[in-house]
Amino acid sequence: MAATEAGDGSDLRAVLPRILQLGTLMNRSGLGERAMKRIGADLDRPGLSIILALHLTGKAMRVGEIADRMQVAGPHVTRHLHVLERRRLVRGLADPDDRRARLVELTPDGAEIADRYVSTLLGWFGDALAGWAPEDRRTFYDLLLRFTDDLAAFLSAIGEEE
């Protein structure tokens, strides 16, 4: 039985507009584009997503792993990787575990762009939460992590059912 059918959906119904508002704020505010402009990076959104995927994992990854993190098809990532390689922001290297496979890693220039981008976003988020008590920030972080993990797992499970 769904939560809304179980009688406890009123809390979810009340928070739904805020979840939708957050999505709208993140997408329509141009937050990513603003941060790229602030740091002087000339990247398209997919290119930035690839750089961030590599940066946030802190390791070289196969194209398929990057595509999974971005929730896109491998050929989409490959096209953008060619551009990033020409700009010397990423480089390919042999996979020591499989000679047929190729890994992709950030170059120092790519890592520097990712560092500046993440620092800019974190600074803005920190400013937005500046009036929050430390324990409120910790609770928010913990619950947001839990919510996104649980939602991702749920969406993955229902995607497999289809």
Side-chain angles (χ1 to χ4, degrees):
M1 189 183 312
T4 54
E5 296 168 8
D8 60 357
S10 61
D11 290 345
L12 290 175
R13 191 173 298 278
V15 80
L16 180 62
R18 293 305 187 149
I19 292 172
L20 297 174
Q21 181 183 16
L22 179 59
T24 300
L25 281 170
M26 297 298 288
N27 290 324
R28 290 196 179 157
S29 69
L31 188 68
E33 290 80 7
R34 288 180 189 192
M36 283 194 292
K37 184 176 180 180
R38 168 78 54 98
I39 67 168
D42 182 26
L43 293 170
D44 60 10
R45 195 176 290 201
L48 176 65
S49 294
I50 291 168
I51 286 175
L52 289 175
L54 290 165
H55 178 73
L56 294 173
T57 61
K59 65 181 181 93
M61 292 192 295
R62 291 182 180 181
V63 172
E65 291 175 287
I66 297 169
D68 288 346
R69 287 184 178 273
M70 294 174 60
Q71 299 178 343
V72 298
H76 175 78
V77 171
T78 301
R79 282 192 304 273
H80 292 285
L81 282 172
H82 292 309
V83 173
L84 295 172
E85 284 179 310
R86 281 194 302 273
R87 293 185 61 187
R88 301 190 193 304
L89 299 175
V90 301
R91 67 177 153 244
L93 52 134
D95 184 336
D97 298 328
D98 183 349
R99 291 183 189 161
R100 299 165 297 161
R102 186 178 106 137
L103 295 173
V104 179
E105 71 177 358
L106 287 175
T107 63
D109 288 345
E112 195 252 330
I113 286 173
D115 283 337
R116 288 192 345 246
Y117 182 84
V118 168
S119 293
T120 298
L121 285 182
L122 292 177
W124 290 343
F125 292 156
D127 290 348
L129 300 175
W132 290 32
E135 60 274 6
D136 288 344
R137 286 195 303 272
R138 180 79 259 149
T139 298
F140 172 69
Y141 302 153
D142 291 344
L143 291 174
L144 183 60
L145 287 172
R146 182 176 167 192
F147 175 69
T148 54
D149 288 348
D150 289 350
L151 182 59
F154 174 78
L155 294 174
S156 177
I158 63 171
E160 292 171 5
E161 292 173 3
E162 295 174 353

